[in-house]
Amino acid sequence: MPQPFIYINSWLGVGKHTIARALATQLGPNVRIVHNHLHIDLAEAILPRSSADYEDLRRGLREVTLRTLIEIAEEYRSAALNRRCIFIPIILDCDVEENARRMMSVDRVARGQGMFHSAELLREMRRRGGEIYSFGCPEEMAVDVGGMEADEAAGLIAGHANKMMGQNGED
């Protein structure tokens, strides 16, 4: 039976990539991470971040992208079904100020991690954006990662994934 398809969703900068790496370590060598950091930053490919028009371009591209996120999320569920494996959506969250702190952390900015480094734009997105998409299925897990280290959050997710696989007759 293939490994579960774990879909991690959150506001940007909450810690998806960091927690996914810790989760992969805990789940073992057959785990593969596919994440948004692999995608090309289209706005930066068109304009340098220092350009006066960069943020407007980013905002426009982001709005187009956000309108399609539910369709994209459902495609991940379909991919799991096609692989004949369990689909386990995970929603990570924390309060907006902790989110801004994480997003603007010196380590994250210095590594060039993430495509977005504006706490003010993050606050505006969260104010306007509503809730993180939920599949509403019994396999879904929501985790408030505020105050948690990546390994702790990954441990909770790994435990949940193992429980879900056991309930579905998988080992």
Side-chain angles (χ1 to χ4, degrees), residues 7-12 16 65-78 87-93 125-126 129-137 139-143:
Y7 175 80
I8 300 176
N9 193 15
S10 74
W11 292 103
L12 55 105
K16 291 180 295 291
T65 302
L66 290 174
R67 284 194 298 263
T68 63
L69 280 181
I70 291 174
E71 292 172 19
I72 292 168
E74 290 295 341
E75 288 174 6
Y76 286 112
R77 185 191 330 227
S78 294
F87 180 71
I88 304 173
I90 305 295
I91 298 172
L92 304 179
D93 203 3
M125 286 173 58
R126 287 194 60 157
E131 297 296 316
I132 299 168
Y133 181 71
S134 170
F135 289 87
C137 61
E139 296 83 10
E140 186 169 77
M141 177 187 199
V143 182

Side-chain angles (χ1 to χ4, degrees), residues 95-133:
D95 71 57
V96 68
E97 292 309 315
E98 172 67 7
N99 191 176
R101 184 194 67 74
R102 288 174 180 223
M103 189 182 73
M104 298 304 296
S105 75
V106 174
D107 287 344
R108 185 174 193 268
V109 174
R111 285 190 313 261
Q113 190 173 349
M115 299 180 264
F116 186 86
H117 297 103
S118 170
E120 193 52 44
L121 285 175
L122 170 70
R123 288 181 185 99
E124 177 63 17
M125 286 173 58
R126 287 194 60 157
R127 186 185 66 73
R128 290 183 7 195
E131 297 296 316
I132 299 168
Y133 181 71

